[in-house]
């Protein structure tokens, strides 16, 4: 291998390692924010259901509380967006969270008859988080080409 090819190969490997480290840190931060969203979601959900609100309605309200927390912390801390927030980003965020809500609601309603409510809520939360991370990372919080 020529020294030029070796140097290029080494640079490519270093770039891949930097990208991997950054993605690992992003995923960790997303998980921390997700945990805080889950705490907000669960507290609101169980307060509402304890007050007699049906589980499906409580899910919608509690999910909304978590969404507000999610947008603020994921934008600022997880994905460290430098550009100013815009209507397109907010729209994409709401679409992804609407899909996440839909998935979590279906899982909650399907799982609820088969076990305790906490199990159904946990399964719904995990399904919604998976949809949310993929959508947020790949579509919502992406830098425009002018920012790269």
């Amino acid at each position: 291998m020529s020294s030029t090819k070796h140097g290029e190969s080494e640079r490519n490997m270093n770039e891949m390692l930097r990208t991997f480290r950054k993605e690992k840190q992003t995923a960790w931060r997303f998980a921390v924010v997700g945990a805080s969203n889950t705490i907000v979601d669960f507290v609101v959900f169980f307060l509402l259901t304890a007050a007699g609100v049906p589980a499906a309605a409580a899910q919608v309200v509690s999910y909304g509380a978590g969404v507000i927390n999610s947008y603020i912390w994921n934008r600022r801390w997880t994905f460290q967006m430098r550009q100013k927030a815009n209507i397109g980003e907010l729209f994409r965020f709401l679409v992804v969270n609407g899909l996440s809500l839909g998935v979590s609601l279906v899982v909650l309603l399907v799982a609820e008859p088969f076990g305790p409510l906490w199990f159904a809520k946990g399964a719904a939360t995990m399904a919604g988080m998976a949809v949310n991370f993929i959508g947020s990372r790949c579509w919502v919080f992406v830098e425009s080409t002018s920012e790269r």
Side-chain angles (χ1 to χ4, degrees), residues 132-148:
N132 199 307
F133 180 77
I134 292 166
S136 292
R137 183 70 190 107
C138 297
W139 191 46
V140 177
F141 297 112
V142 292
E143 294 180 21
S144 69
T145 32
S146 64
E147 292 286 325
R148 289 184 187 168

Side-chain angles (χ1 to χ4, degrees), residues 45-62:
F45 179 81
F46 284 107
L47 285 173
L48 290 173
T49 55
V53 175
Q59 174 69 5
V60 172
V61 173
S62 67

Side-chain angles (χ1 to χ4, degrees), residues 30-146:
F30 188 85
V32 170
V33 171
S36 73
N37 299 339
T38 301
I39 291 167
V40 169
D41 181 15
F42 272 57
V43 167
V44 172
F45 179 81
F46 284 107
L47 285 173
L48 290 173
T49 55
V53 175
Q59 174 69 5
V60 172
V61 173
S62 67
Y63 189 86
V67 164
I68 293 167
N69 186 68
S70 176
Y71 183 76
I72 292 167
W73 286 105
N74 277 319
R75 181 170 212 296
R76 289 183 182 172
W77 186 57
T78 304
F79 298 106
Q80 300 179 351
M81 297 300 291
R82 294 181 298 246
Q83 62 197 40
K84 190 173 181 177
N86 61 62
I87 195 72
E89 176 187 277
L90 183 58
F91 174 76
R92 291 188 303 273
F93 180 81
L94 292 174
V95 168
V96 166
N97 278 276
L99 290 171
S100 298
L101 173 60
V103 167
S104 69
L105 198 51
V106 167
V107 171
L108 178 75
L109 294 173
V110 167
E112 189 178 15
F114 298 104
L117 187 57
W118 64 264
F119 176 79
K121 178 63 175 164
T125 299
M126 295 299 286
M129 283 176 66
V131 170
N132 199 307
F133 180 77
I134 292 166
S136 292
R137 183 70 190 107
C138 297
W139 191 46
V140 177
F141 297 112
V142 292
E143 294 180 21
S144 69
T145 32
S146 64

